[in-house]
Amino acid sequence: MIESVVQDLKHGVRMLVKNPGFTLIAVASIGIGVGANAAMFSLADGLVLRPLQVPRASEIVAISAVAPRANQGFGSSRLVSYADYVDLRDRAQSFDGLVAYAVRVASFATTREQPAQTRLGLIVSSNFFDVLQLQPALGRFFRSDEDQVPGRDAVIVLAYETWADQFASDPAVIGRQMRLGGLDFTVIGVAPASFSGMHLALPPSYYVPIAMAPQLDGQPAEVLQRRVVRGLDVRGRLKPGVSLEQAREETRLIASALEEAYPDSNRNFGLLVRTAFDARLEERGPSAPSAFMLMTLAFAVLLVACANVAGLLMSRAPARERELALRLAIGGGRMRVTRQLITESFLLAAGGAALGLALGYGGVTVFQTLPLISDIGVRLTFELDRRAIVFGIVLAALSALLSSLVPAWRATHTNDLAHALRHGRARLPRHSRLWGRNGLVAVQVALALMLITVTVFLARAFEAELGRPGFRTERILLANFEPSLARYDAPRTALFYTQLKERARALPGVTSVGMSSVMPLNQDYRDPVVIVPDGYRLPPGTENEIVFSSRIDEGYLDAMSIPLVAGRGIQESDTTDTPRVALVNEAMAARYWPVDGAIGKRVRLINREGQPWAEVVGVTANGKYNSIGEGPTPLMYLAQRQDPGVRSTLVIALNGASAAAAPALRSIVQEIDPNVPITSVRTMEDFYFGNATGIVRTLTAVTGAMGVLALVLALVGLYGLVAYAVARRTREIGIRMAVGAPSSSV
């Protein structure tokens, strides 16, 4: 058998070398299809598909809280309170362990003297690394007693990348003191290099026990015991032999018991067990359908490529019909001859796979240059790893098999060998001529047209959205500040911002200055607020709503050119000594007060101290807040002087080039207080390109490239159809020309 396979390979190589034009076109067709799919798989892998980098990742499931929320911006509340997590962890028998974690952004400095940086990390339960079955690269992980007393054990595990970048991979880092959130922490270990956190786009720089969260957040220790404070993601590892349905049923019963025991906080809240992949789809939001759409388009390109190769094989068939008929006539079995033809196709697949992976690597290189503006380390990782390579090779093999089956079957199932030997071609029934090459080319053209139509549609739709984001996108300078990194309290922070804005207004070319806690389309921060709208009937079982919010000053709307539709904007007189005020956008006004209008209505701020009421004094136009393709999304603005927060972005509108004002702004900050760091300074043009324009245009360029590739393949297929027709009608054409038909007529 091995000898016959070797013979098939040798003969296949000779036949392909003998027909270099056919071979190059077939290899290029398979390579284009495989390359497009390998690149799109790598993109989807980096956005959605890549599993957790832990042993036996398929055993990890997500446990989420569910509540009957009707809010379109946030959906159901999936986060769990620490007290509910502890009860679930202690009662559940379906899991080998349950872990809790949450993302935290805090100031980070390797020494007291070093300027602080803003870094993203995770607060985790003490069993976090044990349940995930990870081993430290250095030192140790958390002990159970280090997560018992809030604020007592200030210990930290560094991410491997942080250890390498900030500490030069120094083994002596264990036991060293470093600063996190203005507190001293002791380094006890380093996470393994293979583990990059629980979220694909949020690689953490550090890990600290959940018991240290209140001190990091500046909250009282008892906040961990408040069941209404839901801020933790929960993951579990299923025990061997326990099904997902069994875990769901047990978790449902525990949730019912908690609802009965704590009706004030847990009424209508349940717990849902899902696969980690399902949870990841929800977390990634619009990224998931975008990735799957691109994979679908790439698969369409592969289908065009397969049809192209099949057509080429059928076009080549007339030249080989005498050879195949002779082999069958002298005793060659149909299976043996079919295997020979399929072997040749797999040789084409090998060449196509090599070319496809090279093209896929080029595509991944393009994706790695995707702009993404982030100050806390949000990043997307695309790579042509082992999974993508295996995916490409399997696709190449399948495409070769699919492309060659029909031509091989037709070539070896002729019933009139004598006719084939005498005339060099077999008799084909009429339906074979109609449904063979013609059908393949029709499919190719249809798929190519579909891809080009999708490309044009996406380009037009996104260009329309880019033209109306709802805010100014040029001649603005943005600077992010977090005075708490310089140990500023609230009064000092307010004074710093006042001095900063006064001096910024005096800069040449400045037309207006404002501040906001959250910039639209940013990838770093979200500022949801829990509210109860006055006069709005909440859905049954729902006690509050969640909407996006931003804390702004009196100059922000003018600096960003966000129009007021009704009422007034935030004023300098809106301070802590006056009643709280708020602005809402048109989407929020239409949602909660569609009849009477929003002006004069009140909103209770549930997650603010004392749960105060804020009066709606103005309505702004809608804009884009999370992604450029989102629909109308409710948003509420709060007065910054009444609700200072931790970090803010200075917005400077100019009548000239925005980048020119950056050196002057840095000088102003140095004069006021050189200890206050500017976490970033960038132009609005760069910010908008990184978070909207660049991503959108890359997406449309990728879909356009796939449309062009499909069109080129369809043209090659059409050429093959004509060549096939000419090859089968050579004798007829010769007779017509011999009896006087001119070339133009033929």
Side-chain angles (χ1 to χ4, degrees):
M1 179 179 177
I2 294 176
E3 184 179 353
S4 64
V5 169
V6 172
Q7 290 175 352
D8 289 344
L9 289 172
K10 289 181 178 179
H11 183 74
V13 170
R14 284 197 300 269
M15 294 303 298
L16 295 179
V17 171
K18 185 179 178 181
N19 298 273
F22 160 80
T23 303
L24 289 176
I25 294 176
V27 167
S29 298
I30 295 176
I32 288 172
V34 170
N37 278 268
M40 293 307 108
F41 177 83
S42 298
L43 177 67
D45 193 49
L47 291 175
V48 181
L49 299 179
R50 188 175 301 150
L52 278 177
Q53 297 160 314
V54 299
R56 300 198 303 280
S58 60
E59 298 175 356
I60 303 297
V61 296
I63 297 91
S64 308
V66 289
R69 298 195 185 281
N71 189 299
Q72 296 177 357
F74 283 85
S76 61
S77 176
R78 61 180 176 81
L79 302 179
V80 179
S81 69
Y82 180 72
D84 285 347
Y85 156 71
V86 171
D87 284 333
L88 178 63
R89 179 196 65 192
D90 294 342
R91 299 184 190 184
Q93 301 298 314
S94 299
F95 306 96
D96 268 338
L98 288 168
V99 303
Y101 65 92
V103 174
R104 282 296 184 275
V105 177
S107 61
F108 182 98
T110 56
T111 64
R112 281 178 171 268
E113 296 75 22
Q114 185 194 45
Q117 309 168 48
T118 302
R119 289 297 185 91
L120 178 146
L122 294 182
I123 57 169
V124 301
S125 55
S126 59
N127 63 344
F128 179 79
F129 294 103
D130 295 333
V131 172
L132 296 180
Q133 298 181 358
L134 297 171
Q135 298 298 319
L138 188 69
R140 64 173 178 85
F141 291 141
F142 304 117
R143 297 191 301 262
S144 59
D145 62 298
E146 290 174 330
D147 201 21
Q148 299 297 318
V149 181
R152 184 188 67 184
D153 298 292
V155 291
I156 185 171
V157 172
L158 300 175
Y160 191 92
E161 186 176 348
T162 304
W163 176 54
D165 292 345
Q166 299 292 319
F167 297 93
S169 302
D170 183 6
V173 71
I174 303 300
R176 275 184 57 175
Q177 296 286 307
M178 57 160 293
R179 302 283 288 178
L180 186 67
L183 305 173
D184 288 324
F185 277 75
T186 302
V187 179
I188 62 170
V190 176
S194 60
F195 183 64
S196 58
M198 304 296 287
H199 303 283
L200 290 175
L202 301 174
S205 297
Y206 56 85
Y207 307 84
V208 296
I210 285 180
M212 291 301 300
Q215 277 199 290
L216 281 176
D217 299 339
Q219 295 182 341
E222 56 269 19
V223 72
L224 287 178
Q225 304 307 318
R226 295 178 58 193
R227 293 182 186 270
V228 295
V229 180
R230 296 178 171 88
L232 297 175
D233 282 290
V234 176
R235 297 290 186 269
R237 185 181 288 275
L238 289 175
K239 284 183 176 178
V242 175
S243 68
L244 192 64
E245 288 303 321
Q246 290 173 310
R248 281 174 176 163
E249 179 62 20
E250 183 188 36
T251 304
R252 185 189 65 80
L253 294 175
I254 293 174
S256 298
L258 292 176
E259 184 178 1
E260 184 177 348
Y262 308 102
D264 293 339
S265 59
N266 288 48
R267 184 182 298 114
N268 298 314
F269 272 85
L271 291 171
L272 173 66
V273 180
R274 298 177 294 170
T275 64
F277 178 72
D278 289 338
R280 203 178 310 128
L281 287 179
E282 180 184 348
E283 290 171 3
R284 298 307 295 148
S287 298
S290 298
F292 293 141
M293 179 199 72
L294 290 174
M295 287 194 69
T296 302
L297 296 180
F299 186 69
V301 173
L302 182 66
L303 290 179
V304 174
C306 288
N308 204 39
V309 174
L312 288 171
L313 290 171
M314 293 176 68
S315 299
R316 186 168 171 250
R320 302 192 63 185
E321 283 177 350
R322 189 189 299 273
E323 169 207 342
L324 297 178
L326 181 60
R327 296 179 66 181
L328 291 170
I330 61 176
R334 296 187 190 276
M335 286 299 299
R336 182 72 171 78
V337 176
T338 300
R339 193 180 75 187
Q340 170 63 52
L341 296 176
I342 292 178
T343 299
E344 293 178 18
S345 297
F346 274 105
L347 288 172
L348 294 175
L355 177 61
L357 292 177
L359 294 175
Y361 180 78
V364 171
T365 303
V366 172
F367 296 145
Q368 289 172 345
T369 63
L370 273 175
L372 189 65
I373 302 297
S374 172
D375 297 323
I376 60 173
V378 176
R379 68 169 182 258
L380 297 173
T381 304
F382 305 113
E383 53 188 14
L384 198 69
D385 58 9
R386 181 175 59 186
R387 297 169 67 243
I389 291 173
V390 170
F391 179 77
I393 292 174
V394 170
L395 273 184
L398 288 177
S399 61
L401 184 62
L402 291 174
S403 301
S404 61
L405 279 179
V406 172
W409 183 88
R410 287 182 55 177
T412 57
H413 282 73
T414 176
N415 295 320
D416 193 349
L417 294 179
H419 184 276
L421 289 170
R422 185 180 305 113
H423 299 284
R425 63 180 182 178
R427 286 196 181 98
L428 292 176
R430 181 174 178 80
H431 69 83
S432 295
R433 294 197 300 269
L434 291 175
W435 296 104
R437 282 288 309 174
N438 296 357
L440 289 173
V441 173
V443 169
Q444 287 178 271
V445 173
L447 289 174
L449 180 60
M450 180 200 76
L451 287 170
I452 292 174
T453 303
V454 169
T455 299
V456 174
F457 172 79
L458 282 177
R460 294 182 63 183
F462 279 129
E463 285 300 325
E465 296 296 333
L466 288 172
R468 54 186 185 198
F471 53 86
R472 182 174 171 178
T473 60
E474 58 183 13
R475 297 195 305 278
I476 287 180
L477 186 68
L478 305 175
N480 293 334
F481 293 92
E482 193 170 340
S484 62
L485 297 180
R487 302 178 183 83
Y488 271 41
D489 56 14
R492 287 187 68 191
T493 298
L495 177 61
F496 171 78
Y497 284 154
T498 299
Q499 295 175 336
L500 178 65
K501 288 187 288 186
E502 287 177 354
R503 298 197 184 188
R505 289 190 190 99
L507 292 175
V510 173
T511 58
S512 56
V513 175
M515 298 201 85
S516 174
S517 62
V518 179
M519 289 299 296
L521 302 182
N522 88 93
Q523 303 299 316
D524 289 343
Y525 304 110
R526 297 289 184 270
D527 197 3
V529 60
V530 185
I531 63 169
V532 175
D534 188 19
Y536 175 74
R537 186 173 181 180
L538 294 168
T542 303
E543 299 177 354
N544 51 61
E545 294 273 284
I546 305 176
V547 296
F548 290 114
S549 73
S550 180
R551 302 182 304 274
I552 64 173
D553 71 349
E554 62 279 2
Y556 174 75
L557 295 182
D558 183 43
M560 292 289 289
S561 299
I562 299 175
L564 269 172
V565 177
R568 69 170 178 89
I570 301 296
Q571 297 177 351
E572 192 173 350
S573 58
D574 295 322
T575 65
T576 53
D577 298 326
T578 60
R580 278 182 176 260
V581 297
L583 308 179
V584 300
N585 67 351
E586 292 174 294
M588 184 167 174
R591 176 177 175 78
Y592 296 114
W593 306 285
V595 178
D596 301 330
I599 303 297
K601 295 297 189 295
R602 297 190 306 163
V603 176
R604 182 181 287 279
L605 307 177
I606 300 300
N607 60 349
R608 297 297 193 267
E609 185 177 355
Q611 299 188 357
W613 287 95
E615 181 183 350
V616 178
V617 297
V619 178
T620 70
N622 289 332
K624 305 296 182 182
Y625 310 114
N626 300 294
S627 66
I628 198 65
E630 71 179 2
T633 302
L635 178 81
M636 182 168 67
Y637 294 107
L638 300 174
Q640 188 186 56
R641 297 177 188 273
Q642 296 177 337
D643 197 356
V646 176
R647 58 184 65 87
S648 291
T649 299
L650 179 69
V651 182
I652 303 176
L654 302 105
N655 55 19
S658 51
L665 177 63
R666 294 184 184 276
S667 298
I668 289 174
V669 176
Q670 286 290 315
E671 292 171 4
I672 298 175
D673 187 347
N675 294 317
V676 177
I678 307 178
T679 55
S680 69
V681 178
R682 59 176 58 92
T683 66
M684 190 64 178
E685 291 87 344
D686 290 340
F687 178 86
Y688 191 59
F689 178 81
N691 292 324
T693 310
I695 296 173
V696 164
R697 289 185 176 159
T698 300
L699 178 65
T700 54
V702 168
T703 56
M706 287 191 287
V708 170
L709 290 175
L711 181 61
V712 171
L713 290 173
L715 291 175
V716 173
L718 187 58
Y719 170 81
L721 174 63
V722 176
Y724 176 70
V726 171
R728 298 204 67 85
R729 298 176 63 185
T730 302
R731 186 184 299 273
E732 170 207 340
I733 292 171
I735 294 173
R736 293 178 63 189
M737 295 185 72
V739 297
S743 300
S744 57
S745 175
V746 174

